[in-house]
Structure formats: C-alpha cells, structure tokens
Amino acid sequence: MGRKVIVGFITFLLVSVGAFSCLLAQEPLSKRIANYTMDVRLDPEKKVVSGSEVLTWLNDSEVELSELYFHLYLNAFKNNMTTFIADARRVYPGRIPRLKKEELSYIDVESIKIIGEEGVEPIDITPTIEYVQPDDGNPYDQTVMKVTLPQPLPPQQTIKLDISFTAKLPLGMARTGFRDDYFFVAQWFPKIGVFYEGAWNCHQYHYTSEFFADYGVYDVNLTVPSNFILGATGVCRSKKDNGDGTTIYNHYQEDVHDFTWTASPHYLVYEDTFTHEYLPEVKVILLLQPYHKMFKDRYIEATKHALRYYGEWYGAYPYPQITCVDPAYRSGSGGMEYPTLFTGGAYWLTPIELRSPEGVTIHECGHSWWYGMIGSNEFEDAWMDEGFNSYSDDRVLEKAYGPNYFSRRFLQIFSIVFKRFSYKPTWGSISAYRPYAKLDDMSRLTWEFMDGTSYHINSYSKGAITMWTLENYLGPELSAKVFKTYFQRWKFRHPRPQDFIDVVEEVTGQDMSWFFDQIVFGSNELDYAIERISSSPVAKRQGYFDEEGERAFITGEEEGEKEEKEEVIYESHVIVRRQGEVVFPVEVLVTFENGEQEKKVWDGEYRWVRYTFNKPTRLQSAEVDPDHKIFLDINYTNNSKTMNPRKLPAYKWAFRWMFWLQHFLETFTFFS
Amino acid sequence: MGIFKALSTGIKRVNKNKRMWFFLLVVNILVALVLTFPLYSALKTSIGDSLMGERLTKGLDYRWYDEFLYKFQDSDFINYFRATRVVGSGAFFSNVDSLVTGRFFQFGPTILVLMAVYVLLNILFAGGILGIFHSPEEKFTIKGFFSFGGTYFNRFFRLFIISGILYGVLYFLFVPYISGIINRIGGTADSERVAMVLGLIFAVVMFFLLFLVNMIFDYAKIRTVVGNGKSMLKETGKAIGFVFKNFGRTMGLYYFIGVLGIIFMVIYSVVEPQISQVTPLLVLLAFVWQQVYMLARIWVRLTFFSSQLNLFMGLQKEKKVSETAA
Ligand SMILES: [Zn+2]
C-alpha cells in the first residue's frame, strides 16, 4: 500500500468518526430546563383531562432552591373572584365572561412526589402545596402553586417530580376550552415557572397577559375517543387503538416551552410541504372546520409565506412540522400561538383583499419566532413578542399580498372592497396608537396598563410602529442585520429589552439609548411640523452707509437700475418645530421653484430650528421627514408646507361627501 | 291596466316635467350644502398649505384621512366622512344598509335634523308632485307646485305619522325581535354561516316589509289626491285593500321601477371611477356626473308617483266599467 493510500484511509476514518460523533453529540437547540413526560386522557362527556406528568427540572441558577412554583392557569376560570375575572371586569367593563357552572374550569393537583433513584421510595410533597399570589395577594386566586422541597435543590442539579392532576376545561374562554365536541386544550397542565434573574418568575394569570416558560422536551401520550382527530404540539410518533373506543397518540417535541393540543371529530385534515431554496423542509398540517373548506388554500399559502419570510429574515424554522388549526365557531380559541401549532380564524364570504384568515395566520405562525424561539417574558415585556411580531407580519403581508384596502361588510354579510383606497398594513396601528400615545409606557407589566385597549395598543400597535421606525432610522440593511443578529443570538433563551438594545447598539455601533428611553420606557408624543415658510427677494440697501470713508445716503433706486439685469436673489426661511416631547433626529427637505432641493438634518433637540437660504429662486415647499420614515409621528399633515397650496382637494373631497349626503337625503325621502 | 302601460305613460308624464326634476335637485343640493360647507371648511383647515394637498389631489392618503377623522372626532357629522361612503357605490350601500337595519337612528343629531327637515320638505313636495301629475295640464309651475303642496300637506303629514307608526313597529319591535332570534340561533349554531344566512333572510324580509309599507302609503297619497279623501285612516285602509287586491300588478310595478333605480346606480358606479379627479375640470366633471345620477334618482322617485298614479286610476276605471257593465 502506498503512503497516499494510507493517508487517505486515515483521513477517511478521521472524517467519518468526526461526522459520526457530530451526529451523536448534536447540540440541543435549547437548554432543556423543563422537560415533561405526560400520560393523559380526555373525557369528552365530563370535559375533563386527567393523568400525570413527570417533570424533570434543572435548577439552572446559582442558588439552592427549596421552593418550586407552578402555574395552574385553568384555575383562572374557577369563580368570579379570581384575578383573571377581576381584571376582566376592570379592563373591559361590560365584557365579563360567563360564569355558568358547567362552563367554569379548574385544575386539581392530586399528588406531587419527588422521584428519587431507582428503588428509592418517592417522597410525597403534596401536603406542602400552597396557593400564592405574587402579583396582587388576591386570596381567591389559585393560578400559582408553590411546593416546598424537603431538601434544597442545589444549583445545576435536576429534580424529577411525578404530578397527578385533573383538569376540568372551560367552555371556550380566553384561548382554551371546549365547544360541544370541539376541544382546544391549552394552558392545561401544572407548569413550572421560570427561575431567572435570581427569583421565581411565576405570575398569576391575568386578563391581559400571556405566558412565559422554560424550554424543554415534551413527550406526551394523549388518549382520546377514536373518532376524534387530534392535533398537537410536536410530531406524532405513534398511534394505537386501545380497542375500547379510544386511541392513544404519542406526540414528541424537543426545544419548545409549551404543549397544546386539540381534538374534534369534525376536522378535515390536509397536509402540505413547505420547500425553499435553502431553508429546511417543513410539513404543514391544516386542521380545518368542514364549513371552511374554501379557506384551505388560503390558510396553507399564508402559513408558507410566514415560514418563508420569517425564515429568510431571521432564521430557519427548526422543527419538522407546523400545525395550523382553524378553530370552531365561537370556541374562543382563535388567533393564538403555541409551539409548532397555532390557531387562525376565518369568516365565511371574506374576500382575499380583507386578508382574513391570511393576516391572523401569518401573525400566529410568525409567533414561532417571536415567542416560540425567542422566549420573551410575555407577562412583563409583551411588546417584545407582540410588537416584533406585528411588525414582522405587516412586512410579510405587504410582501406577499400587497396593500390593505378599505372595505365594508354590507348588511354584515357581503364585503365590498374599495380597491381604489389602499394603505400600508401598518397604518392601522398608527391609527390605533394616536389617541393612546400618552397613556402608558410600552414597557409596563401587562396587567398594569390603564385598560385592555392600552395594553393591546402599546404591545401590538406601538410595538410594531416602533420597530418600523427603528428599521427606517437604521436603513434596511443595518436593520435586517439587527433583527437577524438578535434572533440568532437569543433564540431558545429569554431576552429582556436591554438585550435587544445591546444588540442594536452592537450592530450599529451607535448609542441608541435615546431611542429606547423615549419610546419604550416613555410615553410622550412624537410630532415634528413645518411651522412657517417664507420667500422674498433680498431687501435692497437703503439709508446711510459708510463707503470708502465717506457717508453715503442710498435710496435703493440707484442699485435697482444696475441689478435689473442681474438675477433676483430670494431669501427663504423655513422654521421646523418640535411639537411633541420626543426628540428625534429628522431630515428636512426643502424644494425650490427651479427644482433644486436641499436636504438638512436636524438633531430635533431644541423646540425649533430655522433654515435660511439665499438663492436665485423662490422657495416652493419644505417637508420634515419627507420619506415618511418616522411612523411614530402622530401628525403627518403638519409635516410639510408649500408656497402654492392646492385648493382642489378640499373641493374634491367635499363634493364626494356631499354626494353621499345628497344620496342619504334622497334615500330617506322614502318616509315622506 | 297593465304595469307596462302604467309605467310608459308614467315615464312620459315625468319626462314632460323636466323643470320639476331640476327643482327637486336644487332643493336637494341646497339642503346638502348646509353641512357640506362646514365639512369643506374642515377639510380646508385640515389640509391647509400642507403638501398633503398634492397627495389628496391624486388620491386618498390614509395618514391624512386618519388624522382628519381624529381631529374632528367630536363632530357629529364630519366623522361621517368615511372612505367607504365617499367613493363609487359606497354611498348607495351605506345608505341602503342604514335604511334596512334602522341604523340611521344612531346618526349624529345634526344629520338627523337635516334629514327631518328634508323629509318634511318632501312631504310638502309630494302633494305638489301628485297634484301636478293629476291635474289636467300635467305641467310644472312653481306656483301650482306649492299650491298643491299646501293643499295636501296637512293630510300627507297625517299619513306620514300613520306610516311612521308602522315603520316604528318594524324598526323598534321587528328588528330587535328578529336580531334576538338570529343571535340566539347563531349563538348555538355550528358555524358563522347560520347567522349570516339568517341575517340575509332577515334583510330580504325587512326590505319586503319596508317596501310594502312604502307602497301602501304611496297609494294612500294617490287616493287622497284622486278622490280628495279627508280621512287618512280610511285612505290608508283602502290603500291596503287596493294593494292586496291587485297584489301582482302593484308589486310588479313597484319592483320594476326599483330595478330601474338599481340599474342607474350600477351605471353611475361603473363610470364614476373612470373620472380621475386630478384636475379642476375633472373634479367638476365628477361633480356633474354625481348630479346626473341624483337627477336619475329623482326621476325614479317621480316615476314611482306617476306610474302608480296611472295604475291606480287605470284599475279604478276598469272597476267602474265592470261595475256598470254588471
Ligand atoms: Zn400575537
């Protein structure tokens, strides 16, 4: 054997051993802190899910822990005194959820035991169960449970708990529950809180809050009636008919922070595959209500658009499968995100121009990134997932479907789309935000906003337009790098606002605290305006002037004759004013009659700035933020002034309105 | 008398009275101007000397539109400036929608007052219209018009009150009752389709009932003019009798004219977007086209009166002939 052959053989061996060990030691995507193995059964008559879970939990902190905290979300709908229902009364007066006996829900933890090594008797810690209310001390609220360990759990040690529980599901309420034989089972099992930043972060369930949990592996056996069709987080690994009218399914998923499932005998099931030039293939499963058959392609297409654009912009969808669920009518489970499964929502006879179910599908699927993979604390930093995601879904909608149109549902049945009037999807957010600009800081805890609308607007609408403003401020390339870097760095972790800010500053090399301090941690209005413009010929000299040591009286006439042949110089002034409290650097575009343009950049700090121009041409117009980059500006109409205002539009729109009024009057001669 | 005969002579009579169309259009414009002026000045204030004017010349700018509505949100009529009302068929759909559902009751007081004034004016005009159509000369003069209007105003106003009771029953008893049923059934239904189909059925029934009441009172007015009736209750009763006795023909005529109205609307809506409204001339052209459509609407209203008058008189004559023959 020649040396070459030997070297080649050794190299081959090394490479293949390397590849093999790589395969074996493939790094998990997340630090798997909370891992659940469950075995549960649905009783469709009693609306009850019961069974057990084995939780393997890692103390990832640097301290010993002698207490563990759990979410028992379903207790939020136990009675009318829970924090959730009390919040509901406060934030949406007049919209109090129903409270009939069979519609309420609860979850009972029957036992909780520490599993030791094999052969060692489990330690029952059920008697240490205590309901705690870290947020409001409301004694009626049982959405957080605390257990005490007989011995503290040291840092970086794992504990294994065996928990038996029974969950009575509510009539479709706040994203979970049943409606007849439709079941959407979310926030349904005893779920450990997150220990981070040196403390337990396990908030009560509030009306205006979503969720927060650690990543892990879910291995779940679900027993449901055999005639039911099941959809769940993860991939179905096995399905076995028990022979007693029930079937047991096993669903498995690594590196997710929640597990949700749905079962109904009525679903139509469709499968499709997302393929892409360089992104990994994803199996798309659609569970559709039979009366929404016509939405099949629209749901699947929208899901694929989300997988494509979010994948291209931020990073690949890493799971093999995604399930899109079309929720049952009035089930209260529509428009919600869960790991590898989400719910949309469709309404009969909705034309595609209304972007429904497209909008909700892209949004909820998009949460796989902002919520699913970027595990923000939704109790505390809602804008970090809803804001990021609203921004991203607007971008996808625009890319994939174009602008939004005005529309009206006639007799609440047929939609009429006014295709002549289109607008950017995000502009609806600006409209919602404007009246609430000064009400709350966007960084507040979700249940501490003044009301439900303020929570919603600050988290979604302001969140989205803040990200748009940031993108426009940084420019498309830098901004794309910011979002990608942030996603790649923080995926499968729990970033805080400062972590995002750090990424922005690192990528841009700029101090951006001024931006976030004012916009995320403040609640002032941003409004720049052109206050005044003027332009007139430069005044001729008049009066006594000292020339060559002699005083001369100049009337202005002498020079006039000379200058007549010369061009007239105009002195033009532009005053730009900061009307809001937010300071933001702005561009000012000044246009002259000869077509010449000058762009000025103002730091926007003082209350106003004046620009003076001496040019052989008259000023025509001035506009602050001419490219409409600052979406947070609450008034765009005052952003510009022109020397030649147009009279036409006021007539034009007045005539149009007058026609409506004329028609209105004529219609109601019906009664005369 | 057949409906087409009634219609064709009716149309001939309406076409003979072009000055009447224009008179009614002028009144319509004048009343609409009462609120259009403040709206115009609000628009002018809002647009001011902003470059937004350029954008609004070309089309609708959402940001301005939104800021305008926000600025005038407390006005009880300026906020009726909605994109879905001020373009193409928007006016038609929004008005028919509020007629059928009764949602016009929730309109701002300013608009409702204006509407009340206009309805009152048209109660007066109805007398003028029918009086002239029924007169031997069939010729419009302002004097004759108002003199007939004055003659019948009192009686027509009473008819308005009686019809108002019936419309009231429809809007305040029938609509909530049916909506309650739809909500109840829709609430337990398996899909949103059930509620929507029920809603559609409700709309059809409501249209039918509204049109029926409307037609009955058209004939009550016609009877009053033709027979110089004094008791409006009696005329209403007889009009009901007449409508039901000649159900096919009264309904046929009514709906046929209604379809003509829809055809005009479709023509208007198809042409309207073609006028780009980017220059003063085009804005003027669009305005003219709008007024042409309004004339067509007025024409339809006059045709209702004129043709139904023919049908009534024709059928009455037939009845007399058959009575004498018997
Ligand atoms: Zn969301």
Side-chain angles (χ1 to χ4, degrees):
Chain A
M1 275 201 279
R3 265 181 68 191
K4 264 188 178 174
V5 177
I6 294 168
V7 171
F9 183 64
I10 291 171
T11 315
F12 168 72
L13 261 184
L14 283 176
V15 168
S16 41
V17 167
F20 186 58
S21 59
C22 237
L23 267 180
L24 275 183
Q26 205 176 45
E27 273 281 303
L29 297 171
S30 69
K31 193 159 197 176
R32 295 168 181 172
I33 290 175
N35 306 283
Y36 296 82
T37 306
M38 302 194 219
D39 204 335
V40 293
R41 167 182 287 268
L42 169 72
D43 181 335
E45 296 308 316
K46 293 190 181 134
K47 320 293 183 197
V48 160
V49 175
S50 55
S52 63
E53 68 185 37
V54 172
L55 164 67
T56 310
W57 189 75
L58 169 73
N59 176 4
D60 192 36
S61 75
E62 269 119 53
V63 291
E64 288 191 336
L65 293 175
S66 47
E67 289 169 345
L68 302 178
Y69 281 70
F70 288 83
H71 291 285
L72 300 177
Y73 289 116
L74 285 181
N75 281 340
F77 319 118
K78 194 168 181 175
N79 58 54
N80 69 339
M81 305 300 273
T82 66
T83 293
F84 186 98
I85 305 292
D87 276 359
R89 269 196 295 269
R90 184 169 48 80
V91 298
Y92 285 118
R95 243 211 267 173
I96 307 160
R98 321 153 290 255
L99 290 168
K100 282 189 204 150
K101 193 177 171 203
E102 61 281 10
E103 298 173 354
L104 296 170
S105 72
Y106 51 82
I107 174 166
D108 291 332
V109 173
E110 278 126 16
S111 78
I112 177 161
K113 291 176 189 152
I114 303 173
I115 308 172
E117 276 161 35
E118 223 169 288
V120 181
E121 187 71 7
I123 306 167
D124 189 358
I125 54 168
T126 318
T128 71
I129 290 179
E130 211 183 310
Y131 295 114
V132 290
Q133 300 80 21
D135 298 336
D136 63 2
N138 170 9
Y140 295 105
D141 193 74
Q142 300 179 338
T143 55
V144 178
M145 167 185 97
K146 182 179 92 176
V147 291
T148 308
L149 304 176
Q151 274 161 4
L153 179 66
Q156 301 309 319
Q157 292 293 306
T158 297
I159 190 170
K160 221 171 180 181
L161 299 168
D162 186 353
I163 306 170
S164 306
F165 65 95
T166 301
K168 156 77 176 68
L169 303 170
L171 178 75
M173 194 184 304
R175 324 165 179 104
T176 188
F178 67 90
R179 179 121 211 143
D180 304 324
D181 52 2
Y182 166 89
F183 290 86
F184 197 88
V185 190
Q187 321 306 342
W188 57 285
F189 60 94
K191 194 175 182 194
I192 195 158
V194 177
F195 190 91
Y196 84 151
E197 297 174 349
W200 277 104
N201 198 296
C202 191
H203 290 290
Q204 293 161 250
Y205 195 6
H206 298 269
Y207 193 72
T208 50
S209 78
E210 292 189 291
F211 314 100
F212 185 42
D214 270 319
Y215 291 90
V217 178
Y218 285 80
D219 182 352
V220 182
N221 285 330
L222 297 156
T223 303
V224 297
S226 298
N227 63 327
F228 276 45
I229 288 150
L230 183 92
T233 293
V235 176
C236 181
R237 291 200 299 190
S238 67
K239 176 184 171 183
K240 199 186 110 214
D241 194 331
N242 293 327
D244 60 354
T246 64
T247 297
I248 181 163
Y249 293 84
N250 175 269
H251 268 248
Y252 180 83
Q253 187 60 60
E254 295 169 348
D255 306 304
V256 290
H257 54 57
D258 200 4
F259 188 95
T260 295
W261 54 285
T262 174
S264 153
H266 308 294
Y267 280 130
L268 301 175
V269 185
Y270 298 97
E271 287 188 14
D272 209 307
T273 308
F274 165 78
T275 53
H276 188 275
E277 213 183 311
Y278 58 84
L279 294 170
E281 223 175 73
V282 182
K283 184 168 164 189
V284 178
I285 296 181
L286 172 65
L287 301 182
L288 198 61
Q289 300 301 328
Y291 47 87
H292 284 159
K293 217 170 167 177
M294 66 293 242
F295 290 110
K296 178 197 147 213
D297 294 336
R298 287 171 62 180
Y299 265 126
I300 289 176
E301 193 187 279
T303 306
K304 287 182 173 178
H305 281 309
L307 289 170
R308 177 192 161 182
Y309 288 109
Y310 279 72
E312 288 176 3
W313 294 337
Y314 312 123
Y317 180 83
Y319 310 108
Q321 184 175 308
I322 192 154
T323 304
C324 168
V325 178
D326 173 44
Y329 178 55
R330 291 172 60 91
S331 64
S333 57
M336 189 57 197
E337 68 278 11
Y338 305 95
T340 78
L341 178 147
F342 64 90
T343 60
Y347 206 75
W348 193 42
L349 296 181
T350 307
I352 192 158
E353 289 87 354
L354 261 65
R355 310 285 179 253
S356 171
E358 286 78 5
V360 68
T361 303
I362 292 168
H363 181 88
E364 307 310 340
C365 182
H367 269 303
S368 301
W369 281 260
W370 311 123
Y371 149 85
M373 286 177 267
I374 292 288
S376 305
N377 185 337
E378 295 185 301
F379 286 97
E380 299 184 5
D381 311 313
W383 66 276
M384 291 191 71
D385 63 330
E386 293 304 353
F388 276 58
N389 195 36
S390 301
Y391 154 76
S392 308
D393 82 53
D394 283 347
R395 292 180 104 239
V396 176
L397 272 176
E398 217 174 319
K399 275 258 179 205
Y401 297 96
N404 278 6
Y405 299 103
F406 282 99
S407 66
R408 181 194 166 100
R409 218 175 245 279
F410 175 54
L411 296 171
Q412 293 175 328
I413 300 166
F414 309 105
S415 292
I416 302 158
V417 180
F418 294 88
K419 284 195 102 170
R420 267 189 284 165
F421 292 160
S422 64
Y423 57 94
K424 250 175 119 65
T426 324
W427 285 354
S429 293
I430 301 170
S431 174
Y433 162 69
R434 187 178 298 106
Y436 284 82
K438 293 207 279 192
L439 205 60
D440 272 308
D441 288 0
M442 174 175 157
S443 54
R444 276 178 87 72
L445 301 176
T446 52
W447 60 96
E448 288 189 346
F449 284 97
M450 184 187 274
D451 52 36
T453 315
S454 181
Y455 153 72
H456 201 268
I457 283 169
N458 274 289
S459 309
Y460 293 75
S461 315
K462 189 180 178 185
I465 54 179
T466 298
M467 293 305 128
W468 276 106
T469 304
L470 183 69
E471 172 182 330
N472 292 339
Y473 175 78
L474 299 176
E477 275 162 37
L478 211 49
S479 149
K481 208 173 154 199
V482 162
F483 284 101
K484 195 162 202 161
T485 309
Y486 170 65
F487 177 78
Q488 291 297 339
R489 182 165 309 163
W490 284 98
K491 62 184 176 185
F492 304 106
R493 291 160 73 192
H494 304 307
R496 285 292 207 173
Q498 191 55 47
D499 298 317
F500 177 65
I501 298 167
D502 288 346
V503 169
V504 177
E505 294 190 333
E506 179 197 308
V507 171
T508 61
Q510 300 174 32
D511 172 15
M512 291 293 289
S513 55
W514 60 274
F515 180 92
F516 293 99
D517 285 350
Q518 295 188 100
I519 292 162
V520 174
F521 305 109
S523 44
N524 280 320
E525 286 179 343
L526 191 158
D527 184 17
Y528 282 88
I530 298 293
E531 176 74 7
R532 214 180 298 159
I533 54 173
S534 64
S535 192
S536 50
V538 174
K540 288 170 188 163
R541 292 194 300 163
Q542 274 182 6
Y544 293 107
F545 289 86
D546 296 332
E547 280 185 348
E548 294 160 12
E550 275 186 43
R551 176 174 297 165
F553 182 77
I554 295 170
T555 62
E557 300 299 311
E558 311 88 330
E559 290 186 354
E561 283 164 28
K562 254 194 295 169
E563 278 177 15
E564 229 161 66
K565 284 150 216 134
E566 290 174 16
E567 54 184 356
V568 182
I569 302 293
Y570 290 90
E571 184 173 298
S572 306
H573 297 284
V574 173
I575 298 181
V576 190
R577 205 175 143 189
R578 174 166 65 80
Q579 308 237 32
E581 294 310 310
V582 172
V583 172
F584 205 98
V586 289
E587 290 173 332
V588 183
L589 181 70
V590 183
T591 307
F592 298 89
E593 275 182 354
N594 64 356
E596 204 182 309
Q597 290 194 316
E598 263 201 50
K599 201 177 243 182
K600 300 275 181 190
V601 177
W602 177 36
D603 61 17
E605 272 182 30
Y606 186 58
R607 281 285 173 188
W608 59 271
V609 69
R610 186 201 320 270
Y611 295 108
T612 302
F613 307 89
N614 281 294
K615 283 183 185 289
T617 173
R618 266 165 59 95
L619 178 83
Q620 193 179 54
S621 66
E623 183 166 23
V624 59
D625 185 25
D627 302 322
H628 289 201
K629 290 178 182 172
I630 308 171
F631 283 21
L632 284 156
D633 191 326
I634 56 154
N635 188 334
Y636 258 121
T637 309
N638 69 12
N639 276 30
S640 57
K641 279 199 189 298
T642 166
M643 300 294 279
N644 320 301
R646 297 292 296 258
K647 289 204 183 85
L648 196 63
Y651 284 113
K652 167 175 157 179
W653 293 102
F655 281 159
R656 280 177 179 255
W657 188 78
M658 177 170 154
F659 173 68
W660 167 74
L661 186 60
Q662 284 182 274
H663 191 280
F664 175 83
L665 292 170
E666 195 54 34
T667 301
F668 288 92
T669 57
F670 190 80
F671 298 123
S672 59
Chain B
M1 163 157 293
I3 58 171
F4 292 103
K5 180 88 197 326
L7 183 65
S8 64
T9 18
I11 290 175
K12 259 182 223 147
R13 192 194 288 125
V14 171
N15 289 352
K16 243 167 67 182
N17 284 285
K18 294 203 179 59
R19 287 174 59 207
M20 192 191 277
W21 317 354
F22 284 96
F23 172 77
L24 291 172
L25 178 67
V26 167
V27 175
N28 174 277
I29 291 174
L30 289 177
V31 175
L33 280 176
V34 171
L35 292 186
T36 304
F37 271 120
L39 176 90
Y40 166 76
S41 89
L43 287 167
K44 227 174 81 176
T45 316
S46 165
I47 301 165
D49 51 359
S50 168
L51 280 173
M52 219 30 120
E54 299 290 333
R55 291 172 199 133
L56 289 172
T57 307
K58 291 180 203 121
L60 187 77
D61 185 294
Y62 181 91
R63 299 282 319 247
W64 166 80
Y65 168 73
D66 195 38
E67 286 162 18
F68 175 72
L69 288 179
Y70 181 63
K71 188 170 178 174
F72 293 98
Q73 60 184 329
D74 295 331
S75 150
D76 74 339
F77 68 96
I78 291 174
N79 57 28
Y80 286 87
F81 181 92
R82 297 283 160 167
T84 53
R85 286 202 183 98
V86 300
V87 70
S89 52
F92 175 83
F93 283 116
S94 70
N95 291 331
V96 170
D97 196 309
S98 36
L99 177 72
V100 174
T101 55
R103 267 199 289 275
F104 64 90
F105 285 113
Q106 295 157 17
F107 275 40
T110 313
I111 289 188
L112 286 183
V113 166
L114 197 75
M115 172 181 147
V117 169
Y118 194 69
V119 167
L120 277 178
L121 274 176
N122 277 284
I123 294 172
L124 178 72
F125 296 164
I129 296 164
L130 280 172
I132 284 174
F133 284 171
H134 185 243
S135 68
E137 309 82 41
E138 299 183 347
K139 199 94 188 104
F140 175 82
T141 59
I142 290 283
K143 205 179 143 218
F145 187 78
F146 277 95
S147 133
F148 282 124
T151 309
Y152 298 115
F153 183 77
N154 197 306
R155 281 176 270 174
F156 280 14
F157 187 77
R158 277 181 278 153
L159 281 177
F160 167 72
I161 300 290
I162 300 168
S163 67
I165 294 167
L166 289 180
Y167 290 127
V169 167
L170 284 181
Y171 286 125
F172 294 110
L173 295 177
F174 182 72
V175 171
Y177 179 70
I178 297 293
S179 310
I181 292 177
I182 293 177
N183 286 341
R184 214 165 39 245
I185 299 175
T188 53
D190 289 340
S191 85
E192 74 278 8
R193 242 191 257 190
V194 176
M196 288 166 81
V197 170
L198 287 175
L200 183 66
I201 295 169
F202 154 74
V204 169
V205 172
M206 188 66 185
F207 270 124
F208 176 79
L209 293 175
L210 280 173
F211 291 161
L212 185 66
V213 173
N214 185 252
M215 185 168 66
I216 287 169
F217 283 87
D218 277 356
Y219 285 109
K221 286 183 206 111
I222 289 166
R223 284 191 63 88
T224 307
V225 171
V226 173
N228 200 17
K230 303 285 180 203
S231 161
M232 292 304 107
L233 276 175
K234 202 173 126 197
E235 295 305 326
T236 305
K238 291 212 161 168
I240 294 173
F242 175 79
V243 165
F244 283 97
K245 216 176 284 163
N246 304 290
F247 202 64
R249 276 183 276 193
T250 49
M251 293 291 277
L253 182 60
Y254 190 92
Y255 282 89
F256 195 87
I257 301 170
V259 168
L260 283 182
I262 291 172
I263 292 171
F264 290 147
M265 191 280 294
V266 171
I267 296 171
Y268 167 78
S269 311
V270 170
V271 173
E272 193 259 5
Q274 314 306 322
I275 308 170
S276 61
Q277 299 198 51
V278 291
T279 65
L281 203 68
L282 287 169
V283 169
L284 188 70
L285 188 65
F287 177 75
V288 169
W289 179 240
Q290 288 169 350
Q291 299 317 314
V292 168
Y293 172 71
M294 285 313 300
L295 266 184
R297 281 226 48 176
I298 288 165
W299 180 90
V300 168
R301 182 148 65 98
L302 295 176
T303 302
F304 268 116
F305 279 132
S306 178
S307 309
Q308 293 183 137
L309 175 68
N310 284 347
L311 185 71
F312 175 75
M313 288 172 60
L315 288 176
Q316 229 185 16
K317 211 179 278 167
E318 279 170 23
K319 197 177 140 201
K320 271 191 196 136
V321 170
S322 65
E323 270 167 12
T324 40

